[in-house]
Structure formats: C-alpha cells, structure tokens
Amino acid sequence: MSATSPPPAPGFRHSHRTIDGVRLHAVVGGTGPAVVLLDGWPFTWRVWRPLLVPLSEAGYTVIAPDLHGVGESGPVRDAYRKQQVADDLHRFVTDLTGQDSVRVAGMDLGTMVAFAWATRHRDAVSHLVLSESVLPGFGLEELMNPATGGYWHFGFHMQTDLATWLTEDKAVGYIGPMPGMMTAAGGLADEDRDDIINRYAAPNGMRCGFQHYATLLEDGRDNRTAAAEPLTAPVLVLNGATGLPQHQLLDGVRQAAVDVRADIVPQSGHTFAADNPAWTADRLATFFRTGN
C-alpha cells in the first residue's frame, strides 16, 4: 500500500500541511463556503467519501481531514485533547481555504472535536453538525460506565498502553467486523473499508486511535468550562435510524447550546453518510444554507 491514497473523488485532491509540528492530511474539493467533515473511530476521512461530490455540487468547498495520527495525518506525542486537535484543524483549514468562516460537521469522536472547535472559535464556526456520539462533560461520563450498562469500550480504549498491547497486531480482527455492524443499508464501500482497516493495522495506527480516547475526562472538564457561555451558532444533531440513541447526544447538546434542532437519517445506522448519502447531503446543504 502506498503512503498516499489514489485521487479521492472527481474534483478532489489530497492536501498535506504541517501545523505546529503536526503533519495533517485532508481531501479538498469544490468551491464556495467551507464545509469541514470530521471522522471518528475506527474511521478515516473515507467515512465521508460518499458526501464529497454531492456537497461540492451544492456549492461548497468540502474538506475532510484525518484526525491526528489517523489515516494519512501524522502522530503527535501529547496533543490529542480535543481543544488542541480543534485548534490545529482550524489553522489547517484556514490555511487551505483562506476563509475565516466554516461549517463544521462531526461524527463519532469527530463530534467531540467539532464541539471543541465551535467553543474555541465561536466567531469562525457559523453552523455546527454533531452526530452519532455523546459529549464529554454532558453525559459521556455516565454512559461509559459498564457497571450500569454503559459503553465498555471507552474505558478500555482510554487505557492506551493496554489497549495497544492487546490489539496492535490484531487490528484486522478487532476493527474488521465493525463497519458491517454499524450500517443499516450496505455501509462503506469495500475499498473504503479495506483502506481504513489497513491504516489502523499500520505501525502505531491502533495506538494513535486510542490516544483520542485517553483525554476524554479532560475533554469533559474543558467542555463544561467552555459551555458556561452556551453556544449561539445553530446546531443540528443527527443520528442514524438504527444508530446510537439520539437522546444521549441531544440532551447534552441542549445543555450547551441555545439554538438546537435534530433529525434522524432514514435507512441508516452509525455510518449514516455511507448508508444514505443523498438524504444526508441534502439535509446538510439545507442546514448550512438556511440554519434549519
């Protein structure tokens, strides 16, 4: 496998730039206002690939980065706290586009970065989409307690050394079944799934993914401090019809923002952008255009 993927989609290109010592990667294409799509775990930018062309055709410059240490973005020693990731990506996107206003959408862990971006750069984020996740500081801590039926994997992944030791030579077995479990309608294309798995199976791939979990308690404290001044930008909460329960995210967002709406992506699961790209692209374009 080459270090750089083939062209990502018609009219799109790969871009690599170093921001504060971090080598970051994104796919970029289209013209118009900037839209940023942030991936989660265990994904790369490819979880958004079905939306690249439709959103560009709707009149947007579309940027889909890889998070720090994921995909083609380089690792960093101690900068996986969501505020730092958001600051680096903000500089990266501003450098790429020359625009001082962005529309940011996140899924899974990318939702946590998107929220931090909006709280850190309130004048720059005009619209915010949060999906298929739970916010640190606003419900995540309770929901990642396995003793009460919570999501066990958060605590496991937060133990970076242990999780890496147990999985780093078993990435295909650990990650491989997940895309199929997260879809309601076909999900990721084979080439996207295979590339994602290969990226995590590469040296240091699993460790870098887990390091995004290691900071979740700090992220929660950061979020609660930041939300002392609630967000005023319009926020859209999205969930797949068979994805995570929407109230887990929506209840927290309503505590941290004043202008919130929600929708369900039909015929979709956690990987809603791949499950139902036409509906998702239209819903995002409408929200970015009208705020509704």
Side-chain angles (χ1 to χ4, degrees):
M1 183 181 63
S2 62
T4 301
S5 300
F12 280 76
R13 69 186 189 278
H14 293 277
S15 181
H16 295 80
R17 301 193 183 199
T18 299
I19 302 295
D20 197 21
V22 183
R23 183 70 169 169
L24 294 175
H25 163 259
V27 297
V28 186
T31 59
V35 169
V36 183
L37 306 174
L38 300 176
D39 59 60
W41 188 96
F43 303 110
T44 67
W45 67 269
R46 284 178 173 269
V47 74
W48 293 108
R49 190 164 73 94
L51 296 191
L52 299 181
V53 172
L55 283 177
S56 68
E57 290 178 344
Y60 295 99
T61 299
V62 183
I63 306 102
D66 283 326
L67 300 183
H68 294 46
V70 172
E72 294 181 35
S73 285
V76 59
R77 184 172 179 83
D78 292 309
Y80 291 87
R81 198 163 165 175
K82 306 303 174 290
Q83 288 187 345
Q84 182 62 57
V85 174
D87 287 350
D88 290 346
L89 288 173
H90 179 72
R91 289 177 55 192
F92 180 40
V93 170
T94 301
D95 192 40
L96 276 176
T97 66
Q99 299 186 32
D100 56 9
S101 178
V102 294
R103 294 135 196 83
V104 181
M107 66 87 64
D108 195 88
L109 284 177
T111 277
M112 303 178 190
V113 177
F115 181 79
W117 194 332
T119 60
R120 299 280 285 181
H121 303 278
R122 293 172 184 256
D123 293 338
V125 177
S126 66
H127 298 72
L128 180 64
V129 179
L130 306 174
S131 67
E132 285 293 318
S133 189
V134 185
L135 283 184
F138 294 94
L140 175 64
E141 291 78 1
E142 293 78 11
L143 287 168
M144 67 183 188
N145 181 2
T148 57
Y151 299 118
W152 65 270
H153 70 284
F154 283 99
F156 175 57
H157 292 179
M158 289 173 71
Q159 307 306 311
T160 303
D161 291 339
L162 175 63
T164 301
W165 179 65
L166 289 172
T167 66
E168 64 181 342
D169 59 346
K170 303 177 181 67
V172 174
Y174 190 58
I175 292 177
M178 291 186 184
M181 297 165 59
M182 295 176 175
T183 178
L188 299 172
D190 289 347
E191 63 177 294
D192 293 324
R193 185 194 64 238
D194 292 347
D195 187 80
I196 287 169
I197 293 170
N198 287 336
R199 296 289 177 182
Y200 281 96
N204 215 33
M206 294 298 285
R207 175 177 291 278
C208 287
F210 294 143
Q211 284 181 297
H212 287 279
Y213 286 85
T215 63
L216 289 180
L217 296 181
E218 292 176 287
D219 297 330
R221 291 189 287 270
D222 291 339
N223 285 348
R224 287 190 294 271
T225 298
E229 179 185 350
L231 286 174
T232 57
V235 182
L236 172 63
V237 173
L238 282 183
N239 284 80
T242 61
L244 297 182
Q246 187 171 74
H247 72 88
Q248 295 177 349
L249 176 59
L250 183 58
D251 291 350
V253 174
R254 284 175 170 160
Q255 297 177 56
V258 298
D259 186 6
V260 182
R261 70 275 298 129
D263 216 332
I264 297 292
V265 185
Q267 300 175 328
S268 71
H270 193 60
T271 54
F272 62 89
D275 290 347
N276 198 341
W279 189 97
T280 303
D282 182 70
R283 184 67 185 90
L284 292 183
T286 298
F287 174 64
F288 293 145
R289 184 175 64 253
T290 67
N292 294 309

Short mmCIF file of all heavy atoms in Angstrom, two decimals, residues 33 60 76 93 103 143 170 189 197 246 256:
data_model
loop_
_atom_site.label_atom_id
_atom_site.label_comp_id
_atom_site.label_asym_id
_atom_site.label_seq_id
_atom_site.Cartn_x
_atom_site.Cartn_y
_atom_site.Cartn_z
N PRO A 33 -18.43 28.41 0.17
CA PRO A 33 -18.16 28.40 1.62
C PRO A 33 -17.59 27.06 2.08
O PRO A 33 -17.91 26.01 1.53
CB PRO A 33 -19.56 28.65 2.22
CG PRO A 33 -20.34 29.31 1.14
CD PRO A 33 -19.84 28.73 -0.14
N TYR A 60 -20.27 24.12 -2.16
CA TYR A 60 -19.38 24.26 -1.01
C TYR A 60 -17.97 23.77 -1.34
O TYR A 60 -17.78 22.87 -2.16
CB TYR A 60 -19.92 23.47 0.19
CG TYR A 60 -21.24 24.01 0.69
CD1 TYR A 60 -22.43 23.41 0.32
CD2 TYR A 60 -21.29 25.14 1.49
CE1 TYR A 60 -23.65 23.91 0.75
CE2 TYR A 60 -22.49 25.66 1.93
CZ TYR A 60 -23.68 25.04 1.55
OH TYR A 60 -24.88 25.56 1.98
N VAL A 76 1.27 12.67 16.91
CA VAL A 76 1.81 13.74 17.74
C VAL A 76 1.92 13.19 19.15
O VAL A 76 1.12 12.34 19.55
CB VAL A 76 0.91 14.99 17.68
CG1 VAL A 76 -0.49 14.68 18.16
CG2 VAL A 76 1.50 16.14 18.47
N VAL A 93 -7.42 24.31 8.15
CA VAL A 93 -8.48 24.63 7.20
C VAL A 93 -8.40 26.09 6.77
O VAL A 93 -8.61 26.42 5.59
CB VAL A 93 -9.85 24.30 7.81
CG1 VAL A 93 -10.98 24.85 6.96
CG2 VAL A 93 -9.99 22.79 7.97
N ARG A 103 -18.27 25.80 8.26
CA ARG A 103 -19.38 24.98 8.73
C ARG A 103 -18.77 23.63 9.09
O ARG A 103 -18.14 23.01 8.23
CB ARG A 103 -20.43 24.84 7.63
CG ARG A 103 -21.10 26.15 7.30
CD ARG A 103 -21.23 26.40 5.81
NE ARG A 103 -21.53 27.81 5.58
CZ ARG A 103 -20.62 28.79 5.53
NH1 ARG A 103 -19.33 28.51 5.70
NH2 ARG A 103 -20.98 30.04 5.33
N LEU A 143 -22.39 7.41 30.65
CA LEU A 143 -22.69 6.38 29.65
C LEU A 143 -21.50 5.48 29.35
O LEU A 143 -21.66 4.48 28.65
CB LEU A 143 -23.18 7.04 28.36
CG LEU A 143 -24.60 7.61 28.45
CD1 LEU A 143 -24.90 8.49 27.25
CD2 LEU A 143 -25.62 6.49 28.54
N LYS A 170 -3.62 -7.23 15.97
CA LYS A 170 -4.92 -7.86 15.72
C LYS A 170 -5.92 -6.84 15.20
O LYS A 170 -7.14 -7.01 15.37
CB LYS A 170 -5.46 -8.49 17.00
CG LYS A 170 -4.52 -9.52 17.65
CD LYS A 170 -5.09 -10.03 18.95
CE LYS A 170 -4.14 -11.03 19.62
NZ LYS A 170 -2.88 -10.38 20.07
N ALA A 189 -18.16 1.39 1.18
CA ALA A 189 -17.72 0.59 0.03
C ALA A 189 -16.52 -0.26 0.45
O ALA A 189 -15.78 0.09 1.37
CB ALA A 189 -17.32 1.52 -1.12
N ILE A 197 -9.10 -0.15 7.44
CA ILE A 197 -8.52 -1.22 8.25
C ILE A 197 -7.01 -1.26 8.07
O ILE A 197 -6.25 -1.41 9.06
CB ILE A 197 -9.16 -2.57 7.88
CG1 ILE A 197 -10.63 -2.58 8.29
CG2 ILE A 197 -8.41 -3.73 8.55
CD1 ILE A 197 -11.41 -3.77 7.77
N GLN A 246 -30.56 8.85 19.97
CA GLN A 246 -30.30 10.27 19.78
C GLN A 246 -30.31 11.07 21.07
O GLN A 246 -29.55 12.04 21.23
CB GLN A 246 -31.30 10.88 18.80
CG GLN A 246 -30.97 12.32 18.43
CD GLN A 246 -31.81 12.86 17.30
OE1 GLN A 246 -32.98 13.15 17.50
NE2 GLN A 246 -31.22 12.99 16.13
N ALA A 256 -25.70 22.77 26.33
CA ALA A 256 -24.50 23.52 25.97
C ALA A 256 -24.72 24.52 24.84
O ALA A 256 -23.81 25.29 24.53
CB ALA A 256 -23.39 22.54 25.56
#
